Amino acid sequence: PGTWSNVIGLNTSAGCVQCGEGKFQPLNGATREEDCLACRPGTVAPNSNTAACADCEAGTFMNASGGEVCHDCPPGYYCEAGAAAPLPCAEGTHSDATKLTSAAECTDADPGFYATTGSTEQTPCAPGTYTDEPKQSTCKPCEPGSFQNASGATACMPCPEGSFCPEGAAA
């Protein structure tokens, strides 16, 4: 396995040709180079005489056929074992770490912050908006009659007497 030869009468394996990195060949007696198959995405063959491809380890991925080495999962994404592509951290979560192995390793956004899908960091709510719960993907506007002049707020303040505060007021 992992080799081929079209020479008749071989008496040692030294005359067999290795399939090459990124390819595998599971059979004994392969006679054509075409019998060597490219590893599918999510798997690799780092050696040149492989009978089977290996799944990428959790925290890594391979997005092409015929891969030799898995790539590290980038920040804001996670990769389960055998991943053909990184999966983004869900909205309301974030991560700046590489090689995450599951969605559970993404960090929830704090109250006063939000995170969109695939975020590498949480973003503070802009003035006039807030979040009062963790794991939010957007900030809520301050209700009419209230305002918030700071960023990263978890609540809005009542509009002072003699002032007008429309929805989303920052002052």
Side-chain angles (χ1 to χ4, degrees):
T3 63
W4 66 277
S5 179
N6 59 4
V7 177
I8 298 172
L10 286 177
N11 57 8
T12 70
S13 62
C16 296
V17 179
Q18 295 181 350
C19 283
E21 295 173 349
K23 295 185 177 186
F24 73 105
Q25 197 289 105
L27 308 172
N28 284 324
T31 59
R32 305 173 304 147
E33 186 174 8
E34 294 81 26
D35 293 333
C36 297
L37 307 171
C39 293
R40 66 173 173 73
T43 66
V44 293
N47 300 319
S48 61
N49 61 339
T50 303
C53 298
D55 283 348
C56 288
E57 293 180 9
T60 65
F61 73 100
M62 172 45 68
N63 57 346
S65 296
E68 300 169 21
V69 179
C70 298
H71 308 293
D72 288 348
C73 211
Y77 292 80
Y78 65 95
C79 299
E80 296 174 345
L87 298 171
C89 289
E91 60 183 27
T93 67
H94 63 95
S95 178
D96 64 353
T98 60
K99 297 183 79 172
L100 297 184
T101 61
S102 73
E105 292 180 302
C106 298
T107 305
D108 292 349
D110 295 324
F113 294 81
Y114 70 97
T116 57
T117 302
S119 291
T120 58
E121 61 185 29
Q122 61 184 359
T123 304
C125 292
T129 66
Y130 73 102
T131 61
D132 53 358
E133 297 176 28
K135 201 173 182 178
Q136 298 301 301
S137 61
T138 60
C139 299
K140 300 182 251 185
C142 291
E143 294 183 14
S146 67
F147 76 104
Q148 180 50 258
N149 58 1
S151 61
T154 58
C156 296
M157 300 177 283
C159 197
E161 227 177 273
S163 299
F164 170 73
C165 298
E167 180 180 67

